[in-house]
Structure formats: C-alpha cells, structure tokens
Amino acid sequence: MNDKRKVLKRQSSTAAADVDAICAPATPKHTGISERQPSTPKHAPIPERQPSLAERNKRRLLKRQSSTASADVDAICAPSTPKHIAIPVQQPTIAESKKHVQYLEHPPDGGWGWLVVLSSFLMHIVVIASIKSFGVFYPVFKEEFNEGAGDTAFIQSTLVGMTLICSPIACALSKLTSCRLMVTTGAVLAAVGLIISSFAQSVTYLLFSLGIVTGFAMSLMYSPCLTMVGRYFDKKRATANGIGLSGNGVGMFALSPLYQVLIDEYSYHGALLVIAAITLHGCVCGALLRPIRLREDLEQQALLSKNHRNHPNDPQSGCNKCVSSTRKVLEIFDVSLLTDVAFALFLVSHFGTMLGYSIVFVHMAKHAQNIGVGKTEASFLISVMGISEFIFRLIAGWFADLGIISRLNVYMIGAAGVGLCNLFVPFCRSYASLIVYMAFYGLSSGVFHSLIAVLVREYTGVARLFNGIGWTLLAGGTAYLLGSPIAGWLYDATGNYNVSFFSAGSIIVTSLSLLCIKKPSNPDGTASHDDTPSADNNISIVDRDGHIEDSPTRVEQETTL
C-alpha cells in the first residue's frame, strides 16, 4: 500500500511540474539565450512577458485538476476503516416503490371515509336529485314540441335509464382506471350534453343529447361514488349510505322549484345552461374519492389467478386468443354474479320495484295539474317528497345498523310502503291529499333506497361490490327506461293516470315476494371464499389497530388522477 501511495504521489507531482512547465512564460526568440551562455547581467534585466488572460485561466484549471488528482490519491490510499467508507444510498425507482402496498384487513369505518360520504351526498344532489327534478320539464317539452305523453316521457326515462343501465360499464372502467378519473370525466361530459340540449328543437334531438349523452355521463359520475362508500365502511355502512343518499332528498327539495323558476325566467334553453354549470361541480366530488385497498381484493385476485392456472391457453392459437379475450371481458364485468340464485332473485325483484317506483317523477306533476293544481304548486310536490325522504334515509340507515331486525326486512318494509302509496293515488283528489301522499311516499322511498347498496354488499361481498352495484343499477335503469313510457301510454289510452298507478303498486308488492325465496348467504358483507392469496410481491396487511402483517400477495395497481 505504501509503494502504491508513493507511485501515485510521484505521478501527481510530475503532473504538477508539467503544469508549471506548460504555463511558464515563453522566452523571446531575439534574446538568443542558450544554456551555455552566461546569465544576463543584473544591470541589463530582460523584461518578462506578462501572461495573457487565457493563459492565466488555463493555468488555474490545470492547477485545480492537479489538486483534485492529489486528493484522489489520498482517498484511494487511505486505510480501509469502515467508518470512513461512504456508502452511496440508491433511491428506489417508481416501479420498486409501488411493489410494497398496504392493504387493509377491514374497512376503516371512518377517517377519510366521511369525506367519501360527503362526496356521495353532493353527488346525489348533482345527479340523482337533478334527474328526478327534470319532471318539471315534461309539461314544457310536451307543449313546446306538441308530442304525445308517452313519447315526451321517454326523454326523462331515457336519461334515468342510461344513468343506471350504463353502470356496469362505469364500474368496470372505474376498476381499470380509478373512481376519481371516471367521476371527473363524467362531470365534464354531462355538462357538454346539457349545453347541447339547450339548442334542441325536437324530441328526437333531446333523446340523443339529454337522454343518451348526458345519461351516460351521469352514470360515470354516480356509480363510483355509491361503490366507494361501501368500501370504506363495514359496521356503519347502512348509516353511511343513509347519509350519502339523503343528498337526494335535499336536492329534490331545492332543485324542483329552482328548475321551475329557471324555466319561467329563461325558458328551457337557458335553464339547461344553468343546470350544466351546476353539474360541473361533480368534479369536486370526484376529487374526494381516495382509492382504498382491502384484503378481500387480494383474495379475489387469488381466485382469478387460480382460475387462469386451471384454464391455460396456447397464445399461438387464434381460437384460444379469442377465448382468452372473452374470459377477460367476463371477468371485468363479473358475469358470474348472475349465476348466484339469491343475487339473481334480488335483481328481478329490484327491477319490479323500480318499475313501479319510477312513474311518480315524470307523471305526478301532470296528474296534479289534471285535478286542478297549479304548475308551481305541482312542482312543490316533489319537494315535499324530498324533505320526507331526506329525514327517513338517515333514520333508516341508523335503525338498520342497530340489528333489531335484518336489513333485508327493513328494505322490504320500505318497498311495500311505496307500493301501497301508489295504490292510493287515484283516491287523492285534492292538493292537501297529494301532499300527504308524497310525504308517505318519501318516507317509504327513503327507507328502502338507503339499503339497496347495503344489500348488494351482503349478496356479493366487498371485493365484488363494484360489479354488484353495476348489475343492480342496470336492473333499476331498465325499469326506469320502461316505467314512465308505459304509464304515459296507459294515460293516452285511458285519459287518466288511475290505471298507471294501480299497475305500479301491484307490481311492487308482487316483486317483493321473490326476496323470500332465498336470502343473502353473506349477511355480513365479507368475502365468500377462503382462497389464500398467493402472488409475486410483498405487501402489508393492516388491521384496525394499525398492526402490520407481511404477506406474499399480488399487487393491485390502481391509476389515480
């Protein structure tokens, strides 16, 4: 080591000497001085040439490099004492940092979840309450375009139907990307659809712009918010859903009279522009939807991985490629949920319930006007329902979490109340009786609506909640799409709404009998299988107390906005 040090030091000194030699001032040629000639006398000194600025800079640079070389020699030859060794710390790449992800053993039942509930509350005002309040546009469109009751009612039923029917697509896209991205995209697209609708000159135009475009956009906004509440709450999920869904009642109370005022002041053209601006506030709701990862997600992934291993495909075969692609699509939409008998019966029952429930929002204002109620007073009937629904959605969620009776029974009581109210509508011949009817209708609606998402989780578990919500809203959307036009066509055939409301009440009461055939096999809303997670990367399972348990599992990648 000492010999090596001497050699390197010698080389460093030689380099320094070379620097001096290179940078020394050159001797003028005319002096003719050589090594053999005697030195110049002191009385005749030869003036030295001053180095230029470039030479001085070059000298400094070479000196600095020589000093650095000398310092490197000391560093290389220093004794290898551990405390003197500087070990560089390599920063993990983005891909490596994503490998270790924390999954929660159970939903947190609070924390950021309450902001998710706030997002759901606001979304029910912006989307669901707004859609239900569109009933005040029905007489305006009917008079403006001089169309039949059934054809005009098809505008709002298409809007509601597309919002719910497209829910499986919205939920699948939310799983592939993120809830934040889908809600924000939906808010912008819905505003565009409403702006386009303000230029409508026919019912056909509105069916496309307001019904299809705006309806699909609102589906992207609504489904993710409803699903995220179920992923953040377990023991308090009925209460959380009740609070979120109560925004529907607040919105119906405020928006129905507001839309009527907007129509009176600015016509339906200007009213739709104002509603477009209100809808853009859905972007704020989407920003609150922070992603959450649960252990049941891992178990579901393990089950899918096991199915893939049991059904290997040859990637070179064109037929197997088609089969593989089809299987992936079926997994994204989780079509296997439809083979569960209990869940299938729930979907059929929900379809019948929503078929009878939907006609009120389109035809109640017209029915009230037919018996002599003014336009403004008729629009206030939806507000009465909104107040009652707001109160009882909160109460129903809290009561269901007490566990006195099962959540399914609470749901059936509320749906039965809606059916009975519809049976009594033909006997309401005054404005006061209609107010009482709408108050009880909102009470019953608030009870059963606050438990729809809760029951879906009991039928499917939290890992499959996205697709369960999607299929449930698809059934309800199909019912909305058919209910209002059928009631309108019955009105055209009979000249009144008596047959329409009688039929709606009978269908609701009959559909509830299907829920008694087979009840949920998963009443706690937990995973329904015991597959052990297995995969590639290490993650952390965090329980309610914050304890971390490492487990080899497959990482779920989720894109956020």
Side-chain angles (χ1 to χ4, degrees), residues 159-213:
L159 173 62
V160 179
M162 286 296 295
T163 302
L164 302 180
I165 287 174
C166 295
S167 294
I169 300 175
C171 291
L173 291 175
S174 298
K175 288 174 63 177
L176 294 175
T177 57
S178 75
C179 293
R180 282 176 172 172
L181 179 60
M182 285 300 101
V183 172
T184 304
T185 303
V188 175
L189 184 59
V192 172
L194 289 166
I195 293 173
I196 295 174
S197 300
S198 66
F199 301 99
Q201 297 296 328
S202 67
V203 170
T204 305
Y205 186 104
L206 284 172
L207 283 175
F208 172 76
S209 61
L210 186 60
I212 297 177
V213 176

Side-chain angles (χ1 to χ4, degrees), residues 419-437:
L420 293 176
C421 286
N422 279 335
L423 292 175
F424 283 99
V425 170
F427 303 103
C428 299
R429 308 303 302 175
S430 66
Y431 184 61
S433 61
L434 287 178
I435 289 180
V436 174
Y437 156 74

Side-chain angles (χ1 to χ4, degrees), residues 225-309:
C225 286
L226 193 62
T227 304
M228 287 296 288
V229 175
R231 291 178 61 81
Y232 267 92
F233 289 88
D234 183 14
K235 295 181 179 180
K236 303 176 183 177
R237 63 180 179 270
T239 302
N241 272 283
I243 295 173
L245 271 66
S246 63
N248 181 25
V250 175
M252 288 168 61
F253 173 74
L255 296 183
S256 231
L258 174 63
Y259 288 179
Q260 187 62 57
V261 172
L262 291 175
I263 293 172
D264 295 338
E265 292 292 331
Y266 307 109
S267 78
Y268 75 90
H269 302 282
L272 290 174
L273 291 176
V274 176
I275 297 172
I278 295 174
T279 305
L280 277 176
H281 288 78
C283 296
V284 179
C285 303
L288 297 176
L289 300 180
R290 176 189 292 176
I292 183 174
R293 300 174 178 88
L294 302 173
R295 181 168 189 132
E296 288 189 33
D297 299 327
L298 300 173
E299 295 172 352
Q300 182 67 17
Q301 291 175 16
L303 181 62
L304 294 177
S305 300
K306 181 179 178 181
N307 292 337
H308 288 164
R309 290 193 298 269

